Amino acid sequence: MALQRTFSIIKPDATRRNLTGAVTKMLEEAGLRVVASKRIHMTKEQAEGFYGVHRERPFFGDLVAFMTSGPVVVQVLEGEDAVAKNREVMGATNPANADEGTIRKALAESIEANTVHGSDSLENAKIEIDFFFKPEEIVG
Ligand code: GDP
Ligand code: MG
Protein backbone atom coordinates (compact mmCIF):
# COMPACT_ATOMS: atom_id res chain seq x y z
CA MET A 1 0.00 0.00 0.00
CA ALA A 2 1.16 3.46 -0.79
CA LEU A 3 -0.16 6.98 -0.48
CA GLN A 4 -1.48 7.87 -3.93
CA ARG A 5 -3.39 10.61 -5.66
CA THR A 6 -6.17 9.99 -8.14
CA PHE A 7 -8.46 12.16 -10.23
CA SER A 8 -12.23 12.33 -9.84
CA ILE A 9 -15.06 14.12 -11.61
CA ILE A 10 -18.51 14.65 -10.13
CA LYS A 11 -20.46 14.55 -13.40
CA PRO A 12 -23.29 16.85 -14.63
CA ASP A 13 -26.07 14.45 -13.60
CA ALA A 14 -24.86 14.79 -10.01
CA THR A 15 -24.37 18.56 -9.93
CA ARG A 16 -27.83 18.96 -11.54
CA ARG A 17 -29.39 16.94 -8.69
CA ASN A 18 -27.34 18.84 -6.06
CA LEU A 19 -25.40 15.71 -5.06
CA THR A 20 -21.88 17.18 -4.84
CA GLY A 21 -21.91 16.82 -1.06
CA ALA A 22 -23.46 13.34 -1.12
CA VAL A 23 -20.81 12.07 -3.54
CA THR A 24 -17.98 13.73 -1.63
CA LYS A 25 -19.24 12.22 1.65
CA MET A 26 -19.08 8.72 0.14
CA LEU A 27 -15.55 9.38 -1.14
CA GLU A 28 -14.46 10.64 2.28
CA GLU A 29 -16.09 7.71 4.06
CA ALA A 30 -14.10 5.39 1.78
CA GLY A 31 -10.91 6.93 3.20
CA LEU A 32 -10.16 9.39 0.41
CA ARG A 33 -9.22 13.01 1.14
CA VAL A 34 -10.14 15.86 -1.23
CA VAL A 35 -6.85 17.75 -1.70
CA ALA A 36 -8.05 19.86 -4.65
CA SER A 37 -11.51 20.72 -5.93
CA LYS A 38 -13.08 23.13 -8.39
CA ARG A 39 -16.43 23.50 -10.11
CA ILE A 40 -16.10 24.12 -13.84
CA HIS A 41 -18.17 23.93 -16.98
CA MET A 42 -16.07 21.85 -19.40
CA THR A 43 -15.71 23.10 -22.94
CA LYS A 44 -16.26 20.74 -25.86
CA GLU A 45 -12.51 20.85 -26.53
CA GLN A 46 -11.69 19.92 -22.93
CA ALA A 47 -14.16 17.02 -22.91
CA GLU A 48 -12.89 15.72 -26.26
CA GLY A 49 -9.31 15.95 -25.07
CA PHE A 50 -9.98 14.38 -21.70
CA TYR A 51 -11.91 11.44 -23.20
CA GLY A 52 -9.58 11.13 -26.23
CA VAL A 53 -9.04 7.39 -25.60
CA HIS A 54 -12.75 6.86 -26.28
CA ARG A 55 -12.76 8.82 -29.56
CA GLU A 56 -13.49 5.73 -31.68
CA ARG A 57 -16.24 4.38 -29.44
CA PRO A 58 -19.85 4.75 -30.68
CA PHE A 59 -20.94 6.74 -27.63
CA PHE A 60 -18.13 9.34 -27.87
CA GLY A 61 -20.32 12.15 -29.22
CA ASP A 62 -23.02 11.51 -26.63
CA LEU A 63 -20.41 11.36 -23.85
CA VAL A 64 -18.90 14.72 -24.83
CA ALA A 65 -22.40 16.26 -25.06
CA PHE A 66 -23.26 14.89 -21.63
CA MET A 67 -20.01 16.03 -19.97
CA THR A 68 -20.55 19.57 -21.30
CA SER A 69 -24.28 19.67 -20.45
CA GLY A 70 -23.72 21.28 -17.06
CA PRO A 71 -21.15 21.99 -14.38
CA VAL A 72 -18.82 19.32 -13.07
CA VAL A 73 -16.60 19.22 -9.98
CA VAL A 74 -13.05 18.08 -10.72
CA GLN A 75 -11.16 16.78 -7.71
CA VAL A 76 -7.84 15.31 -6.67
CA LEU A 77 -8.27 12.57 -4.07
CA GLU A 78 -5.47 11.35 -1.82
CA GLY A 79 -5.22 8.21 0.26
CA GLU A 80 -3.69 4.78 0.68
CA ASP A 81 -4.16 2.92 -2.60
CA ALA A 82 -6.31 5.82 -3.79
CA VAL A 83 -6.66 4.73 -7.43
CA ALA A 84 -8.10 1.28 -6.62
CA LYS A 85 -10.02 2.53 -3.59
CA ASN A 86 -11.79 5.17 -5.68
CA ARG A 87 -12.66 2.66 -8.43
CA GLU A 88 -14.09 0.40 -5.73
CA VAL A 89 -16.33 3.04 -4.15
CA MET A 90 -17.44 4.26 -7.61
CA GLY A 91 -18.83 0.88 -8.64
CA ALA A 92 -19.28 -0.58 -12.13
CA THR A 93 -19.67 1.71 -15.15
CA ASN A 94 -23.26 0.55 -15.63
CA PRO A 95 -25.15 1.22 -12.37
CA ALA A 96 -27.27 -1.87 -13.09
CA ASN A 97 -24.12 -3.91 -12.46
CA ALA A 98 -22.77 -1.87 -9.55
CA ASP A 99 -22.41 -3.41 -6.08
CA GLU A 100 -24.44 -2.27 -3.07
CA GLY A 101 -22.74 0.54 -1.18
CA THR A 102 -21.10 2.07 -4.25
CA ILE A 103 -21.70 5.60 -5.50
CA ARG A 104 -23.04 4.45 -8.86
CA LYS A 105 -25.41 1.92 -7.28
CA ALA A 106 -26.76 4.55 -4.89
CA LEU A 107 -26.86 7.58 -7.17
CA ALA A 108 -26.21 6.97 -10.89
CA GLU A 109 -28.98 7.40 -13.46
CA SER A 110 -27.65 5.35 -16.40
CA ILE A 111 -24.53 3.86 -18.01
CA GLU A 112 -23.76 7.33 -19.38
CA ALA A 113 -25.05 9.59 -16.58
CA ASN A 114 -23.16 7.60 -13.98
CA THR A 115 -22.34 10.36 -11.49
CA VAL A 116 -18.55 9.98 -11.17
CA HIS A 117 -15.35 9.56 -13.14
CA GLY A 118 -12.25 8.02 -11.60
CA SER A 119 -8.79 7.36 -13.02
CA ASP A 120 -8.22 3.71 -13.94
CA SER A 121 -4.45 3.60 -13.25
CA LEU A 122 -1.78 5.55 -11.38
CA GLU A 123 -0.27 6.56 -14.72
CA ASN A 124 -3.58 7.94 -16.00
CA ALA A 125 -4.24 9.63 -12.65
CA LYS A 126 -1.10 11.74 -13.10
CA ILE A 127 -2.08 12.65 -16.68
CA GLU A 128 -5.66 13.52 -15.70
CA ILE A 129 -4.62 15.57 -12.64
CA ASP A 130 -2.22 17.56 -14.84
CA PHE A 131 -5.00 18.10 -17.40
CA PHE A 132 -7.10 20.10 -14.91
CA PHE A 133 -4.86 21.27 -12.05
CA LYS A 134 -1.73 23.33 -11.54
CA PRO A 135 0.57 21.95 -8.82
CA GLU A 136 -0.15 24.92 -6.52
CA GLU A 137 -3.91 24.17 -6.62
CA ILE A 138 -3.32 20.85 -4.85
CA VAL A 139 -2.93 21.15 -1.10
CA GLY A 140 -2.24 17.86 0.65
P1 GDP B 1 -15.54 4.20 -16.44
O1 GDP B 1 -14.05 4.11 -16.38
O2 GDP B 1 -16.22 3.24 -15.48
O3 GDP B 1 -16.06 5.62 -16.24
O4 GDP B 1 -16.00 3.72 -17.89
P2 GDP B 1 -15.32 3.91 -19.35
O5 GDP B 1 -13.95 4.47 -19.21
O6 GDP B 1 -15.48 2.62 -20.07
O7 GDP B 1 -16.28 4.95 -20.08
C1 GDP B 1 -16.16 6.34 -19.83
C2 GDP B 1 -17.55 6.91 -19.66
O8 GDP B 1 -18.26 6.80 -20.91
C3 GDP B 1 -18.46 6.19 -18.66
O9 GDP B 1 -18.24 6.55 -17.32
C4 GDP B 1 -19.84 6.62 -19.13
O10 GDP B 1 -20.16 7.94 -18.73
C5 GDP B 1 -19.64 6.59 -20.66
N1 GDP B 1 -20.01 5.30 -21.23
C6 GDP B 1 -19.36 4.10 -21.09
N2 GDP B 1 -19.97 3.12 -21.77
C7 GDP B 1 -21.03 3.71 -22.38
C8 GDP B 1 -22.06 3.22 -23.26
O11 GDP B 1 -22.11 2.05 -23.61
N3 GDP B 1 -22.99 4.14 -23.67
C9 GDP B 1 -22.96 5.45 -23.30
N4 GDP B 1 -23.89 6.30 -23.75
N5 GDP B 1 -22.00 5.94 -22.49
C10 GDP B 1 -21.06 5.08 -22.02
MG1 MG C 1 -12.62 4.90 -17.66
Side-chain angles (χ1 to χ4, degrees), residues 51 54 87 117-118 120:
Y51 279 120
H54 296 309
R87 292 297 302 195
H117 166 85
D120 60 9

PDB file of all heavy atoms in Angstrom, residues 51 54 87 117-118 120, ligand 2:
ATOM      1  N   TYR A  51     -11.413  12.778 -22.850  1.00  0.00           N
ATOM      2  CA  TYR A  51     -11.910  11.438 -23.202  1.00  0.00           C
ATOM      3  C   TYR A  51     -11.349  10.955 -24.537  1.00  0.00           C
ATOM      4  O   TYR A  51     -11.949  10.099 -25.191  1.00  0.00           O
ATOM      5  CB  TYR A  51     -13.437  11.432 -23.218  1.00  0.00           C
ATOM      6  CG  TYR A  51     -14.073  11.292 -21.851  1.00  0.00           C
ATOM      7  CD1 TYR A  51     -14.919  12.257 -21.337  1.00  0.00           C
ATOM      8  CD2 TYR A  51     -13.841  10.150 -21.074  1.00  0.00           C
ATOM      9  CE1 TYR A  51     -15.516  12.118 -20.085  1.00  0.00           C
ATOM     10  CE2 TYR A  51     -14.426  10.001 -19.820  1.00  0.00           C
ATOM     11  CZ  TYR A  51     -15.267  10.984 -19.340  1.00  0.00           C
ATOM     12  OH  TYR A  51     -15.857  10.826 -18.105  1.00  0.00           O
ATOM     13  N   HIS A  54     -11.457   7.427 -25.879  1.00  0.00           N
ATOM     14  CA  HIS A  54     -12.753   6.861 -26.278  1.00  0.00           C
ATOM     15  C   HIS A  54     -13.235   7.395 -27.635  1.00  0.00           C
ATOM     16  O   HIS A  54     -14.370   7.150 -28.035  1.00  0.00           O
ATOM     17  CB  HIS A  54     -13.829   7.176 -25.231  1.00  0.00           C
ATOM     18  CG  HIS A  54     -13.569   6.540 -23.902  1.00  0.00           C
ATOM     19  ND1 HIS A  54     -13.298   5.207 -23.763  1.00  0.00           N
ATOM     20  CD2 HIS A  54     -13.542   7.064 -22.649  1.00  0.00           C
ATOM     21  CE1 HIS A  54     -13.117   4.930 -22.471  1.00  0.00           C
ATOM     22  NE2 HIS A  54     -13.245   6.040 -21.791  1.00  0.00           N
ATOM     23  N   ARG A  87     -11.934   3.513  -7.480  1.00  0.00           N
ATOM     24  CA  ARG A  87     -12.663   2.661  -8.426  1.00  0.00           C
ATOM     25  C   ARG A  87     -13.646   1.759  -7.675  1.00  0.00           C
ATOM     26  O   ARG A  87     -14.749   1.501  -8.142  1.00  0.00           O
ATOM     27  CB  ARG A  87     -11.683   1.812  -9.255  1.00  0.00           C
ATOM     28  CG  ARG A  87     -10.808   2.581 -10.225  1.00  0.00           C
ATOM     29  CD  ARG A  87     -11.550   3.308 -11.326  1.00  0.00           C
ATOM     30  NE  ARG A  87     -12.372   2.448 -12.152  1.00  0.00           N
ATOM     31  CZ  ARG A  87     -12.885   2.803 -13.329  1.00  0.00           C
ATOM     32  NH1 ARG A  87     -12.655   4.032 -13.827  1.00  0.00           N
ATOM     33  NH2 ARG A  87     -13.641   1.998 -14.003  1.00  0.00           N
ATOM     34  N   HIS A 117     -16.501  10.089 -12.408  1.00  0.00           N
ATOM     35  CA  HIS A 117     -15.352   9.561 -13.143  1.00  0.00           C
ATOM     36  C   HIS A 117     -14.251   9.283 -12.139  1.00  0.00           C
ATOM     37  O   HIS A 117     -14.102  10.012 -11.161  1.00  0.00           O
ATOM     38  CB  HIS A 117     -14.824  10.587 -14.160  1.00  0.00           C
ATOM     39  CG  HIS A 117     -13.457  10.222 -14.684  1.00  0.00           C
ATOM     40  ND1 HIS A 117     -13.283   9.362 -15.733  1.00  0.00           N
ATOM     41  CD2 HIS A 117     -12.203  10.539 -14.245  1.00  0.00           C
ATOM     42  CE1 HIS A 117     -11.982   9.179 -15.932  1.00  0.00           C
ATOM     43  NE2 HIS A 117     -11.311   9.894 -15.041  1.00  0.00           N
ATOM     44  N   GLY A 118     -13.448   8.264 -12.400  1.00  0.00           N
ATOM     45  CA  GLY A 118     -12.249   8.022 -11.597  1.00  0.00           C
ATOM     46  C   GLY A 118     -11.153   7.434 -12.456  1.00  0.00           C
ATOM     47  O   GLY A 118     -11.417   6.572 -13.303  1.00  0.00           O
ATOM     48  N   ASP A 120      -8.279   5.174 -13.972  1.00  0.00           N
ATOM     49  CA  ASP A 120      -8.220   3.706 -13.941  1.00  0.00           C
ATOM     50  C   ASP A 120      -6.823   3.166 -13.688  1.00  0.00           C
ATOM     51  O   ASP A 120      -6.637   1.950 -13.611  1.00  0.00           O
ATOM     52  CB  ASP A 120      -8.817   3.114 -15.218  1.00  0.00           C
ATOM     53  CG  ASP A 120      -8.083   3.565 -16.483  1.00  0.00           C
ATOM     54  OD1 ASP A 120      -7.006   4.195 -16.369  1.00  0.00           O
ATOM     55  OD2 ASP A 120      -8.590   3.281 -17.580  1.00  0.00           O
TER      56      ASP A 120
HETATM   57 MG    MG B   2     -12.624   4.904 -17.664  1.00  0.00          MG
END
